[in-house]
Amino acid sequence: MLINCVAYRHGVKLADIAVEAISEHLAEPGTLVWVALRDVSDDELAAMQREFGLHELAVEDARHGHQRPKIEEYGDMLFTVVHLVEYGPTDELQVGELAIFAGPNYVVSVRNRGTQGFVGVRARCEQAPALLAQGPGFVFYALLDAAVDRYFPLVEELENLVDGIETQIFEPGAARRSIEQLYDVKRRLAVLRHAVLPLIDPVLRLHGGRTPAACVGTQEYFRDVSDHLMRINGTLDALRETVATAIQVNLSMVTIEESETTKRLAAWAGIFAVATAFVGVWGMNFRYMPELDWRWGYPAALAVIGSVCALMYRRFKKL
């Protein structure tokens, strides 16, 4: 679905234009065409390919989706795939995609399986006409920066989740709940890491190596995106180590709890074994047992059994 198709000249918005008029505006000097699409159909993508001359391999990736985050060059065109990670209706992380085609005088963004739009990015770019006048590089940076910045709230929420789980690890009976929560956090960390890690090296090359034609004049802005990616990746690595340590500690707590339970069962078994031994001796019904004819034999036997069991209970309690 077409969201908007706008032509800019020297950084100033001219008008919303029809798709059929794109090629006419591209032929005008100093003109930039920015098209935004969502959940694009094959026909719409084919129309964009005809108007902008997009490379067929990049169009195929955008059409099929489910691509690994990447930045690729096709001649003077830069093709980028960024994962859009957000929470779904069931509080599960959902992964969408933003495909960006950046050419000499155009930018085409295709958003698939994502609910959050990029209207604010267009407003941000239009408020900086001097940067927008430099070409598609600033638009490409603004889209990439907006997508990366959306990872920060997710990472912060995961940090809070891990902190909460750590405080309950040592609570009695919380082992199963903690393990389930830790593995849920570990799964979410993997989703974010798969979105962040593949972009680090390609973004580094946008400002630290040979600058692609679409980014000439704005390469220093990509240093900011690179810094954000490095910060997020460092936090994710720290969280992964914390989660791994918490899982080991939790498993150790389970082992300790099982050991304590085994000790209690063994202690009670020992106490009842002693009582059983006494009762077994007095229950053999021999004819000549002095205590059988003693008036206080039964109470005395119970007192001996109770005293020995109480003594053993006190000793086991101290262990």
Side-chain angles (χ1 to χ4, degrees):
M1 182 178 70
L2 179 67
I3 298 176
N4 44 43
C5 179
V6 183
Y8 300 87
R9 181 170 297 165
H10 302 300
V12 179
K13 180 178 178 179
L14 290 178
D16 293 314
I17 62 175
V19 174
E20 295 76 12
I22 289 177
S23 55
E24 298 177 9
H25 285 82
L26 291 178
E28 299 175 0
T31 301
L32 171 69
V33 177
W34 181 359
V35 181
L37 304 106
R38 175 173 64 87
D39 298 324
V40 65
S41 65
D42 291 346
D43 292 339
E44 289 174 324
L45 203 53
M48 294 298 110
Q49 184 178 9
R50 289 193 303 270
E51 293 293 331
F52 293 104
L54 305 178
H55 197 281
E56 58 181 355
L57 294 178
V59 172
E60 183 180 356
D61 287 345
R63 177 184 296 114
H64 294 160
H66 303 285
Q67 300 293 315
R68 190 171 184 264
K70 59 183 178 180
I71 298 178
E72 297 177 337
E73 286 188 74
Y74 293 93
D76 58 357
M77 185 195 78
L78 205 61
F79 175 66
T80 303
V81 175
V82 184
H83 281 182
L84 304 175
V85 184
E86 57 191 39
Y87 280 103
T90 59
D91 288 336
E92 287 290 329
L93 285 182
Q94 296 181 345
V95 180
E97 287 183 10
L98 175 66
I100 306 172
F101 302 85
N105 55 350
Y106 66 85
V107 175
V108 179
S109 63
V110 180
R111 174 165 56 93
N112 291 316
R113 305 186 313 279
T115 59
Q116 301 180 21
F118 291 87
V119 178
V121 176
R122 187 177 292 273
R124 173 189 177 185
C125 292
E126 290 178 353
Q127 291 173 0
L131 295 172
L132 191 58
Q134 296 183 20
F138 184 70
V139 177
F140 173 45
Y141 151 75
L143 288 169
L144 187 61
D145 184 59
V148 171
D149 283 349
R150 291 178 182 178
Y151 299 148
F152 280 106
L154 300 176
V155 174
E156 184 177 355
E157 183 173 346
L158 290 179
E159 286 181 308
N160 294 333
L161 282 174
V162 172
D163 291 340
I165 295 171
E166 284 184 314
T167 59
Q168 72 179 23
I169 284 180
F170 298 100
E171 295 179 3
R176 183 180 182 86
R177 183 172 72 255
S178 298
I179 281 289
E180 291 176 353
Q181 292 175 340
L182 286 170
Y183 272 96
D184 181 59
V185 171
K186 187 176 181 180
R187 184 172 61 253
R188 298 184 188 189
L189 286 172
V191 172
L192 278 173
R193 192 166 185 268
H194 291 159
V196 172
L197 188 60
L199 282 177
I200 294 178
D201 287 342
V203 174
L204 277 173
R205 290 195 293 270
L206 293 180
H207 67 85
R210 183 186 62 83
T211 304
C215 301
V216 173
T218 56
Q219 58 266 34
E220 64 272 9
Y221 287 92
F222 293 97
R223 187 179 294 109
D224 180 62
V225 179
S226 178
D227 179 62
H228 289 178
L229 288 170
M230 296 293 288
R231 284 169 53 194
I232 293 172
N233 187 62
T235 304
L236 292 178
D237 285 343
L239 284 175
R240 290 176 69 227
E241 292 179 3
T242 302
V243 168
T245 302
I247 290 175
Q248 293 299 322
V249 171
N250 196 75
L251 293 176
S252 299
M253 292 300 299
V254 171
T255 303
I256 292 172
E257 289 181 2
E258 291 178 349
S259 177
E260 291 292 330
T261 303
T262 303
K263 287 169 61 178
R264 292 191 184 96
L265 292 174
W268 283 111
I271 292 172
F272 281 109
V274 171
T276 303
F278 278 112
V279 174
V281 170
W282 281 312
M284 288 188 292
N285 296 322
F286 288 120
R287 181 177 180 182
Y288 298 103
M289 294 183 69
E291 58 270 23
L292 294 179
D293 298 326
W294 184 34
R295 180 180 178 182
W296 303 102
Y298 183 68
L302 292 179
V304 170
I305 294 174
S307 299
V308 173
C309 289
L311 178 63
M312 293 183 67
Y313 178 82
R314 289 186 60 188
R315 293 297 301 272
F316 286 137
K317 192 74 172 177
K318 294 179 180 179
L319 296 178

